[in-house]
Each structure stands twice: as structure tokens, then as C-alpha cells.
Amino acid sequence: MKIAIIGAGYVGLTTAVVLAYLNHDVAVVEKDKNKLNLLHEGKSPIHEPGIQGLLEEVQHTIRFTPNVAEVVPEAELILIAVGTPPKKNGEADTQHVEQAAREVAEVCLPDRHYTLVVKSTVPIGTNQRVAKVVASVFSARGIQGNVSVASNPEFLQEGLALQGALYPDRIVVGANSDAAVDTLRRLYKPILEQTFDPPSEFPRPSAYHLPPMMTTDPNSAEMIKYAANTFLALKISFINEIAGLCEKVSADVTEVARGIGLDTRIGNLFLRAGLGWGGSCYPKDTSALLGVAAQSGYEMPITEAARTVNFRQRAHIIEKLRSVLKTLKGKTVGILGLAFKPNTDDVREAPSLDIIRELLAAGATVRAHDPIAIENAQRALSGKDPFANTNLYFTEDIDALAYDADALVLVTEWELYHRLQLRKLAKQMKTPILIDGRNVYSPAEARAAGFHYIGVGRI
Ligand code: UGA
């Protein structure tokens, strides 16, 4: 099938590479010159495990262009995967989605049928607006046009995006037309029936079952996306709230999570207590959902509470540091991990940024380590002034991070940090304090290695 994908971000590029791997004929429209140059050189502009290899494998069925008019007219299906960044009031900004729809409608041929799919995460009602945008462009062009608009929300996780795209739990399609549903069923046939040979890096999981394709109306599909992310966000906030109480009553939240997770109605996933969620999705989507609710005059106290609990986890870490160091002024703190989660260089809404800002404001010196996110964190923290943080240092050497430091804070649970030489690090520090913001270590193990250990919700 000939496909045009608008936007080569996480969602757009992952989808493009996977669809090309499934032998679809894929053209990606990307306007950012830097990204486009990299893509023309065969390089992925995003950091995602396995994407570079797969991109190289599909070079013959994928192409990149800045020009909608070059690829849309001949496409059967057009996927919009552009960003919906938060506006100042927290609502999602859909102007890029609408602009993409407008540009597509301007170059559609009058005598062909197209399926226009919104994959970006959008507020409820956006598909209807996109259909109106398309209709108004057609009327301005004086043509009838034949476009079916459909919602096809994306559920991929950064760091696991290709697995998620090849082996999804489900595919959700929201459409009012049978033609759109049929086109999307043909598009995803190899995934729905798992008829493709798995890429060597991504073998099919042994317990994997064929995914259902759920069809519904566009508004419900849009709501499914927000509800899924909000539910996962509040599941994490719930265990973090329990963790706080565990600290007060001397219980271990990892044991509690294990015990409740064995109930199949609850399930054991997304019950890892710690520094909570960051990234480009949960913070933005919970806030956008509250925006939709506010516009409807509806209160969502559970979603609001999930956000409150999430962001106070960051403040709790600072309180824990204060409780052991007495004052933060003049102290040196090593930060292990800048990315919002492992296997990505993404620092958007990362807990590390708030923690570092808070420590600097309190007069501490901060040394920060991350395997791949240092550059992005540097950019996020320096703002307009590159010399703004004179007490902030970045290092790629964990020994240098620990040397003579007053405390270490483990912020991101990178695999590398699961294998730290605790005994050696403790010896190098001025005071061997480990605040484990992701409960990577068992308290007994860290204490045996000489650390004063404080986890999240642990004894
Ligand atoms: C999330 C969803 O998981 C995807 O299904 C969705 O498609 C995506 O948002 C999106 O809307 O684009 P993502 O933000 O990439 O994906 O990452 P997650 O793996 O869900 O983790 C989010 C945050 O929760 C991370 O900061 C992680 O450290 C934290 N987390 C996760 C916990 O604190 N505890 C847990 O038990 C699990």
C-alpha cells in the first residue's frame, strides 16, 4: 500500500520504519531541515533501540521529503503524526495537526479516495475538526474530494517503540466509514495475522497472542488514548502514594506491589514506586485531559490527584537529602540518570531536571551522569544562558561523579546503574549516602556495601 506519513518524530518514524519493513511503500514528510538531512544520510534523528538497523534494512521501501505535494496525491493512506505540544494552559495544541490536514487536502486529487488517519495524540473532537478542515479546503478548491478521516491512536513506549509497533496489545481504529476501517485493516494485516518474519533484533515474544483490532467511533478512539495514559499514570501515582505511607509505618512498598500485583485484576505492571513519571506523554496527556474536562465543566479529581502525587515525589527526594545532609548549601550531590526513563535520550519533563534545579537553588554543587542524555539535559537546563549554572557539571565517568561527593541520587534506572560497584563508590565519597529514587538496590545490599541507603517506600 502507498502510504504518506506526515512527521518523523518518535511516532511517525517508528511507524514508518515498521510499515516499510512490512513491505508497504512509505514516504515520510518532514519539514525540519536537520532531521531531514540526517534521514537522507540514512541516519535516525531519534534515539530508539533498534531503529537505526531497521531503517537501514528498509532503505528501498522508504523515502523522505519536505514536500507534501510530492507524495500525498499518489498515496492511498495518509498518516498524520505531528506533535501536539501543550499550550500555556495545559491543553494540547492541535494547530500542527490541522495544518497538516489542510496541506494534505490542498493536494488530494479530486477523483481518488484517500484515508486520512490521525495518529497524533489529540483532544476529543479533533477528528471531527480535521474532517471539517478537509471539507473547507475542498470547497475552496471547488472540488468534491473523497477523504475518509479516521483516528488510530498510538500506544508505543519510548525505548520499546519497535517491539510495541510490531507486537501491539491491540490496534484501535475510530472511524465513521467502512472504507477507512477496511483500509486500516489491510494496512495492519501482517501485524494482525503476524505473517511477517520478525527482524533479527525483535523476535516475536513466545507468549504473544494475535492482537485484536478494535473499531469504534472517532471520539471514543481519541478518548481511549487519553484514558489509557491517564490510567497508567494514576496506577504509578497510586503505588507512590502507598510508598509514602510505607515509609511512615515501616512497610516495604516493593513487597506490597508484589502482593497486590499477584491479583490478576490488579496486575503486576506499572507498580514500580519511585520518582514517578516524566516524558512527553503522561504529564502532557493528563493535563490535556483535564483541559478537555474543564471545557466541559467537569471535574476529574482522580486525574488531578495523580498529578499532585507524581510531582511531589521529586520534592520528597530533596527532603530526604536534606534530612541526611542537614543543609544542601555547599554540598556536592551526584545525579545518576538524566533521561526520563532508561533507553532514551529524552529529558522532557524528566524528574532529574526539577531535582537538579532545586539542588542548585539550595546552593549545592551538582554533578550529573547519563549514558546518552547529557546533551539534551545540558540544553534543557542552561536555557538561554550557557553559563547559567556554574555549579553544575556533567560527566561520563561514574567514579568522578562519586569522588568526594556528599550523596548520590539514582534518578533513572539505566541497566548500567544496576551493576554499580557500590563498595568502591562508597569508599570514594565524602559521606556514602545513596538516595535510590528507583528502588534499584535492595537496602541490605547497599548497606552491606557501606552506604547509608534511602529508597522510596522501603525499610
Ligand atoms: C507512555 C505509554 O506507556 C505508551 O503506551 C504511550 O503510547 C506513550 O506514553 C505515549 O502516549 O506516546 P512512555 O511515556 O514512553 O509511554 O513511557 P512509559 O514506559 O509508560 O513510562 C512513563 C514514565 O513512568 C517513566 O518516567 C517511567 O519511569 C515511569 N514509570 C513507569 C514508573 O515510575 N513506574 C512504573 O511502574 C512504570
Side-chain angles (χ1 to χ4, degrees):
M1 187 183 296
K2 269 192 187 306
I3 303 157
I5 297 183
I6 320 288
Y10 276 100
V11 171
L13 190 59
T14 306
T15 309
V17 167
V18 165
L19 292 177
Y21 182 78
L22 300 175
N23 282 323
H24 290 301
D25 180 347
V26 180
V28 183
V29 180
E30 174 55 61
K31 295 197 169 156
D32 181 300
K33 278 208 180 88
N34 294 334
K35 274 192 192 171
L36 196 61
N37 286 343
L38 284 172
L39 290 163
H40 280 149
E41 288 167 23
K43 293 186 192 142
S44 166
I46 61 166
H47 180 91
E48 182 60 40
I51 200 154
Q52 183 59 41
L54 217 53
L55 184 60
E56 284 161 23
E57 224 178 290
V58 300
Q59 282 300 318
H60 55 290
T61 42
I62 200 165
R63 69 202 154 107
F64 301 95
T65 169
N67 195 352
V68 172
E70 214 178 276
V71 294
V72 164
E74 67 191 43
E76 181 178 352
L77 181 139
I78 302 125
L79 276 169
I80 298 181
V82 297
T84 50
K87 294 196 269 193
K88 280 215 172 76
N89 64 3
E91 288 168 17
D93 186 348
T94 57
Q95 61 163 314
H96 301 298
V97 173
E98 289 173 33
Q99 179 59 20
R102 207 167 289 123
E103 289 177 23
V104 166
E106 266 154 17
V107 297
C108 282
L109 303 176
D111 51 352
R112 283 193 61 167
H113 174 255
Y114 299 91
T115 302
L116 178 61
V117 179
V118 180
K119 221 174 193 1
S120 309
T121 299
V122 290
I124 295 92
T126 303
N127 269 255
Q128 283 167 1
R129 268 210 308 288
V130 162
K132 280 195 190 131
V133 165
V134 171
S136 76
V137 172
F138 284 168
S139 106
R141 287 178 63 194
I143 61 167
Q144 188 73 33
N146 190 359
V147 171
S148 313
V149 177
S151 162
N152 174 216
E154 183 52 68
F155 302 103
L156 64 80
Q157 280 172 275
E158 282 183 32
L160 296 169
L162 291 163
Q163 265 110 317
L166 290 162
Y167 310 114
D169 287 345
R170 78 304 206 183
I171 289 172
V172 173
V173 170
N176 291 322
S177 100
D178 292 343
V181 172
D182 284 350
T183 311
L184 280 154
R185 204 180 288 284
R186 269 191 296 122
L187 177 79
Y188 288 124
K189 195 167 186 275
I191 289 178
L192 293 168
E193 297 175 2
Q194 290 290 307
T195 45
F196 61 90
D197 288 331
S200 52
E201 235 188 288
F202 299 101
R204 187 170 291 125
S206 53
Y208 185 66
H209 295 290
L210 294 185
M213 178 166 130
M214 174 191 163
T215 56
T216 182
D217 62 280
N219 280 11
S220 302
E222 290 167 342
M223 181 63 103
I224 286 169
K225 170 67 193 189
Y226 277 128
N229 271 4
T230 303
F231 187 82
L232 292 168
L234 72 90
K235 199 173 176 191
I236 299 165
S237 284
F238 174 77
I239 201 67
N240 280 332
E241 184 170 286
I242 293 291
L245 191 57
C246 282
E247 287 174 7
K248 304 274 180 210
V249 299
S250 279
D252 184 331
V253 75
T254 60
E255 292 297 301
V256 177
R258 193 156 66 95
I260 63 172
L262 285 168
D263 184 328
T264 49
R265 292 169 302 175
I266 296 174
N268 61 3
L269 299 175
F270 278 64
L271 283 179
R272 277 180 284 116
L275 268 163
W277 31 272
S280 66
C281 306
Y282 299 158
K284 177 166 84 80
D285 294 350
T286 48
S287 143
L289 189 63
L290 289 173
V292 173
Q295 279 182 2
S296 313
Y298 184 69
E299 286 182 10
M300 298 192 79
I302 295 180
T303 305
E304 275 172 21
R307 288 177 59 82
T308 306
V309 170
N310 187 61
F311 296 114
R312 84 176 179 191
Q313 291 305 96
R314 303 172 184 196
H316 278 173
I317 287 290
I318 302 287
E319 284 161 24
K320 284 174 179 169
L321 270 174
R322 275 212 171 90
S323 76
V324 280
L325 292 174
K326 307 299 174 231
T327 174
L328 295 173
K329 202 168 165 47
K331 299 286 163 60
T332 299
V333 180
I335 300 290
L336 288 159
L338 295 162
F340 84 95
K341 66 174 197 174
N343 299 320
T344 175
D345 63 352
D346 195 342
V347 299
R348 284 176 289 178
E349 303 270 353
S352 65
L353 303 184
D354 280 346
I355 291 171
I356 290 174
R357 286 192 191 106
E358 198 60 41
L359 288 171
L360 292 172
T365 294
V366 177
R367 298 181 193 148
H369 176 275
D370 191 283
I372 56 172
I374 286 182
E375 224 176 281
N376 284 345
Q378 249 166 340
R379 211 170 302 131
L381 286 162
S382 63
K384 289 198 177 82
D385 175 6
F387 303 107
N389 305 309
T390 45
N391 290 331
L392 174 59
Y393 304 89
F394 294 92
T395 173
E396 284 169 14
D397 177 351
I398 295 180
D399 285 332
L401 187 88
Y403 180 74
D404 218 23
D406 294 281
L408 292 180
V409 183
L410 199 159
V411 178
T412 315
E413 66 277 34
W414 282 101
E415 183 53 36
L416 166 81
Y417 301 154
H418 288 248
R419 294 177 272 107
L420 293 175
Q421 292 183 293
L422 290 184
R423 209 171 283 279
K424 185 175 156 211
L425 291 179
K427 283 209 181 98
Q428 290 170 343
M429 294 174 66
K430 189 185 282 170
T431 45
I433 294 166
L434 176 61
I435 312 280
D436 185 355
R438 296 291 177 181
N439 288 343
V440 165
Y441 287 97
S442 84
E445 183 188 4
R447 284 170 194 148
F451 270 104
H452 179 91
Y453 176 89
I454 304 178
V456 177
R458 310 199 75 181
I459 311 167

